[in-house]
Amino acid sequence: MNPVAINEAKKVLRRDIKKRITTMSDELKLKESISIMNKLIGMEEYKLSRRISVYLSMPSEVQTEEILKVRKDCFVPRYIGSNMDMVKLDSMEDFFSLPLTSWNIRQPSEDDEREEALLSGGLDLIVVPGLGFTKHGLRLGRVKGYYDNYIKKCIDNSEKKPYLVGLAFSTQICDDLPVTERDMVLDHVISYELD
């Protein structure tokens, strides 16, 4: 598939998945989020990780606030223009003191002096957001490529590649996704499975 066709296919899929997520009730999102968080916290790779990066969730995403309560060195995204870095979050009080962005998520401000993960030892595990996922680690992002670029930077500048985990509501799981060589493949995707 050529790049133009891939981008068009991604655009269509993004619309479709966003529609699917809007059909989920808040109760169902919370139920699935709790199940997914429990699976993540139970993973051996998570337990062995000391330095983790976690996205700060929007209402349409698997909720990640619970991870911030676990005692690990926790880094969160800070977006400045077309760049994203991961900066240290010190506590839940620190989280609640962060200003809200136009996306209605908390984020450290540009002038907030914080430890950056890549400059202070890298990351063991990155919890990666996305709109769509396959069970085999393919991911459909939200267009800007922030995470793909940051993961590439981690791989290029660290001694070891961080373990990459995607979190997905059941409605976000796809059989296949159109990808390019710039799209990073995740090591594991955790989703809510109906038993």
Side-chain angles (χ1 to χ4, degrees):
M1 205 185 276
N2 70 45
V4 174
I6 289 174
N7 282 339
E8 197 50 45
K10 284 182 175 185
K11 212 182 287 184
V12 170
L13 261 171
R14 282 188 185 103
R15 273 196 307 264
D16 178 49
I17 294 168
K18 282 178 183 175
K19 270 189 210 154
R20 286 191 253 164
I21 293 170
T22 60
T23 65
M24 295 178 71
S25 67
D26 290 343
E27 294 77 23
L28 182 56
K29 286 180 195 162
L30 181 61
K31 178 183 174 186
E32 290 197 13
S33 290
I34 291 168
S35 170
I36 291 164
M37 283 303 102
N38 288 335
K39 288 178 185 181
L40 173 67
I41 291 167
M43 282 178 63
E44 202 57 33
E45 293 85 356
Y46 178 85
K47 289 177 185 172
L48 294 172
S49 296
R50 193 173 60 82
R51 295 166 60 91
I52 65 169
S53 149
V54 181
Y55 67 89
L56 299 176
S57 48
M58 296 186 283
S60 61
E61 295 175 313
V62 172
Q63 298 302 292
T64 58
E65 200 175 300
E66 285 303 308
I67 304 172
L68 305 176
K69 297 175 184 173
V70 179
R71 291 193 175 178
K72 292 194 179 281
D73 288 342
C74 212
F75 294 81
V76 296
R78 175 170 57 191
Y79 305 92
I80 301 171
S82 61
N83 186 53
M84 177 184 80
D85 55 9
M86 292 290 174
V87 294
K88 185 130 189 246
L89 190 68
D90 294 318
S91 64
M92 283 309 288
E93 292 77 26
D94 188 15
F95 167 70
F96 286 116
S97 74
L98 298 177
L100 283 172
T101 67
S102 58
W103 295 328
N104 207 29
I105 55 173
R106 297 184 183 280
Q107 175 184 294
S109 60
E110 271 185 59
D111 57 358
D112 190 347
E113 291 289 321
R114 288 177 181 264
E115 177 184 333
E116 207 290 322
L118 283 181
L119 301 177
S120 61
L123 292 163
D124 300 316
L125 183 142
I126 300 177
V127 178
V128 185
L131 264 178
F133 301 87
T134 69
K135 291 181 179 180
H136 306 293
L138 298 182
R139 170 183 163 270
L140 178 68
R142 293 185 181 270
V143 181
K144 302 257 186 205
Y146 287 120
Y147 272 84
D148 292 317
N149 293 336
Y150 190 81
I151 292 165
K152 180 155 180 16
K153 223 184 325 183
C154 286
I155 293 167
D156 292 346
N157 297 304
S158 300
E159 290 177 25
K160 68 178 179 64
K161 176 185 157 296
Y163 194 79
L164 307 174
V165 181
L167 307 180
F169 291 129
S170 52
T171 58
Q172 292 177 279
I173 296 294
C174 304
D175 292 332
D176 197 18
L177 288 170
V179 292
T180 68
E181 68 280 347
R182 292 183 60 226
D183 295 318
M184 295 292 168
V185 178
L186 307 181
D187 296 300
H188 192 77
V189 174
I190 302 173
S191 68
Y192 180 84
E193 314 272 358
L194 296 171
D195 295 324

